[in-house]
Amino acid sequence: MRPDTDVLIVGGGPTGLMLAGDLAAAGVSCVILERRDQESNLTRAFGVHARTLELLDARGLADDLVATGVPVSSLGPFGLRFLSLPTRFPYVLMTPQYETERVLADRALAAGAMIVPGAEVVALRQDAEGVDVTVREAGGATRTLRARYAVGTDGVRSTVRRELGLPFPGRSAVRSVMICDVRLLEPPPETVTARATGAGFVFIAPFSDGWHRVIAWNRRNQLPDTAPVDFEEVRRVTRAVLGSDLGMHDPRWISRFHSDERQVPHYRDRRIFLAGDAAHVHSPAGGMGMNTGLQDAVNLAWKLAAVIQGWAPEGLLDTYHDERYPVGRRVLRTSGTILRAALLRPRVLLRLRDTALRVASSLPPIARRMAGAISMIDLAYPAPRGSHPLAGHRAPDIPLAGDAPRRLYRALRPGRFLLVVPPGTDGSAIAAWRDRVDLATAGGPTRTTVLVRPDGYIAWAADGPGARTGVRTALRQWCGPATGRVAH
């Protein structure tokens, strides 16, 4: 049966939109099936970290998104200082999730992706050649679509994960968290306010449009998610924790949720993949959830495109789980540690926590490590034994030579591999791979040649004369054969 599209993406949140944009920009046909039939303001994610902003910059989207939010260079209560991070974006951007979805949806549609709203997936089946997805449309009719691959980005209650029969082991982290967007008559002096006491915790962050996001938890009132939220309770908890409700008023929406710590054991089941909250969920502490999902999508997209376009073997797709599963596990541990520290109850433990945070934030190496972990700037993938020390690490946004000012992440915008060579180096080595690899010259003195993957990580590097002898081998290994196509 001939497929209707190369990739079916179930779920049109940030992860699905990022994946669709990358695939469509690479020339891969894709369709997003989104259960929602209209935009919703009921969005919980609001922090975009430095590494995600770099990846958005590599797609020409970062500046647009930054203009919608408030850059926050430090989260004092957590001992986090981002200003020292080696990036164009030494902060966490506070902006509503719907703004992130907007820029990603505009890009995906402009690149040729199709988004089908009001499409609920009710079943799927896969065989050796593709995936059949049964969809119930807004009017109630059902139809079956076929694709070469499918990706579930449909959240914590993922239909795709359920249809695959995959477990989602873990535990509940915190219950009955209240969340709302409000106006404040007396905004706090700190850009971001976060405090936990014996009564509960409160987190307040600004948006650029005059609204503030408030997250509040009442230790003494743990209700089910389905219980209505009384705005007065949010104000009471805020007063109990901060001493004032800051004159909050006019909530534009209010909700209650619980947070789990769970991770699916396998991100790939033959021709079907899971990404974002469908693969891993954790507490909102640290604001890493949406960021992790977006980075899942960036990792998977270029690999799917390479296999579908025929220049990479099917086995490349296994590296998606190999690389991203440990990242999801690390995020669960990091956010869980932050959450449990915030929920400490005995006063002596609260004092010890606050003292430890003050000490950690005053020691530059520890503060830098904490900020690097939360921002994901320090994330690296495993590299084969004997590789150059740079292999697997994030590519820094170095200046590149040229008539106009250039940067490495701007050079990644075509979505291809990038070979960066020292000044004066002959770049003819990539001639047979010019359909997959771009060439750039470093803007300063260096002896190192690096091959950067489309997702902004260093695939291979070598110093001095070793680069001339190894670059073609690296190109064959990472970018496929110079001529011909790989069967899969």
Side-chain angles (χ1 to χ4, degrees):
M1 181 177 174
R2 185 172 181 177
D4 299 292
T5 189
D6 289 323
V7 181
L8 278 171
I9 301 169
V10 182
T15 301
L17 291 168
M18 174 71 92
L19 179 64
D22 278 12
L23 290 173
V28 174
S29 62
C30 58
V31 175
I32 293 179
L33 303 172
E34 170 52 49
R35 184 173 53 85
R36 295 177 298 175
D37 58 6
Q38 60 183 357
E39 182 182 337
S40 171
N41 277 335
L42 302 181
T43 56
R44 295 172 186 160
F46 57 92
V48 185
H49 279 298
R51 183 55 180 158
T52 302
L53 288 169
E54 288 186 335
L55 297 174
L56 291 170
D57 189 29
R59 288 149 182 79
L61 304 177
D63 291 341
D64 186 2
L65 188 62
V66 168
T68 70
V70 178
V72 176
S73 59
S74 66
L75 296 175
F78 303 113
L80 294 174
R81 303 287 186 272
F82 299 116
L83 282 174
S84 62
L85 292 176
T87 174
R88 282 187 69 219
F89 309 99
Y91 50 79
V92 55
L93 180 71
M94 300 295 178
T95 189
Q97 179 179 318
Y98 57 78
E99 293 288 5
T100 303
E101 292 188 2
R102 175 187 60 80
V103 298
L104 292 172
D106 288 349
R107 173 183 180 244
L109 291 170
M114 180 181 297
I115 302 175
V116 182
E120 181 183 4
V121 172
V122 295
L124 67 153
R125 181 182 61 85
Q126 61 179 317
D127 54 44
E129 301 298 326
V131 183
D132 294 316
V133 179
T134 303
V135 182
R136 181 183 295 118
E137 299 177 321
T142 61
R143 61 170 174 152
T144 298
L145 299 174
R146 184 169 176 82
R148 296 173 67 177
Y149 296 92
V151 185
T153 62
D154 49 343
V156 62
R157 297 179 180 86
S158 171
T159 299
V160 175
R161 188 184 64 242
R162 183 195 67 210
E163 287 293 304
L164 290 173
L166 290 174
F168 205 34
R171 61 180 178 176
S172 178
V174 61
R175 296 179 55 225
S176 200
V177 180
M178 298 172 289
I179 183 170
C180 57
D181 288 354
V182 301
R183 299 281 191 181
L184 299 179
L185 293 177
E186 305 169 7
E190 309 93 349
T191 306
V192 172
T193 298
R195 188 176 179 191
T197 68
F201 69 72
V202 171
F203 180 95
I204 301 176
F207 295 143
S208 63
D209 57 2
W211 292 88
H212 283 73
R213 169 65 49 88
V214 176
I215 300 175
W217 179 69
N218 186 348
R219 190 186 297 275
R220 300 180 181 89
N221 190 29
Q222 302 293 292
L223 299 178
D225 292 355
T226 54
V229 184
D230 180 2
F231 180 52
E232 183 56 34
E233 183 182 5
V234 178
R235 298 176 66 182
R236 284 197 304 269
V237 175
T238 304
R239 286 195 296 269
V241 173
L242 300 181
S244 168
D245 64 15
L246 308 175
M248 64 176 66
H249 62 98
D250 292 338
R252 62 178 172 183
W253 71 274
I254 187 168
S255 183
R256 190 189 305 273
F257 71 97
H258 77 278
S259 179
D260 286 352
E261 295 173 345
R262 301 184 183 278
Q263 187 176 26
V264 73
H266 304 288
Y267 285 19
R268 181 188 185 190
D269 184 328
R270 292 170 290 169
R271 289 183 169 268
I272 302 175
F273 302 83
L274 295 171
D277 286 354
H280 46 76
V281 293
H282 48 83
S283 85
M288 294 179 285
M290 179 182 69
N291 293 271
T292 305
L294 290 171
Q295 293 174 43
D296 288 344
V298 169
N299 184 286
L300 179 59
W302 73 267
K303 297 172 181 178
L304 273 173
V307 171
I308 289 170
Q309 291 168 347
W311 56 263
E314 181 81 16
L316 176 66
L317 297 176
D318 290 331
T319 67
Y320 167 64
H321 170 88
D322 295 342
E323 292 182 342
R324 295 305 298 174
Y325 181 87
V327 174
R329 183 174 57 193
R330 187 184 83 168
V331 169
L332 260 71
R333 291 173 178 170
T334 301
S335 64
T337 298
I338 297 172
L339 178 69
R340 279 177 271 283
L343 298 185
L344 289 173
R345 186 169 187 174
R347 291 184 179 181
V348 63
L349 293 180
L350 289 172
R351 287 195 294 269
L352 286 173
R353 177 202 65 193
D354 294 341
T355 300
L357 286 174
R358 283 196 299 271
V359 171
S361 62
S362 68
L363 298 174
I366 297 177
R368 168 65 178 79
R369 185 172 180 179
M370 292 168 58
I374 298 296
S375 67
M376 303 184 182
I377 287 291
D378 286 351
L379 173 66
Y381 296 130
R385 181 172 297 181
S387 298
H388 190 281
L390 292 176
H393 287 264
R394 156 192 168 271
D397 193 17
I398 62 171
L400 303 176
D403 295 335
R406 298 183 66 204
R407 297 179 289 103
L408 188 143
Y409 279 82
R410 183 176 291 272
L412 285 174
R413 289 183 181 178
R416 294 143 57 92
F417 278 83
L418 180 69
L419 184 69
V420 183
V421 299
T425 301
D426 178 12
S428 60
I430 73 162
W433 287 271
R434 286 196 180 275
D435 60 330
R436 282 154 271 166
V437 184
D438 290 327
L439 178 69
T441 300
T446 180
R447 298 178 62 250
T448 305
T449 299
V450 296
L451 180 63
V452 182
R453 303 180 348 177
D455 59 359
Y457 288 88
I458 296 173
W460 168 90
D463 297 322
R468 290 194 295 270
T469 58
V471 64
R472 286 183 174 82
T473 299
L475 288 167
R476 282 192 294 270
Q477 176 186 351
W478 283 96
C479 308
T483 57
R485 300 177 69 83
V486 177
H488 61 282

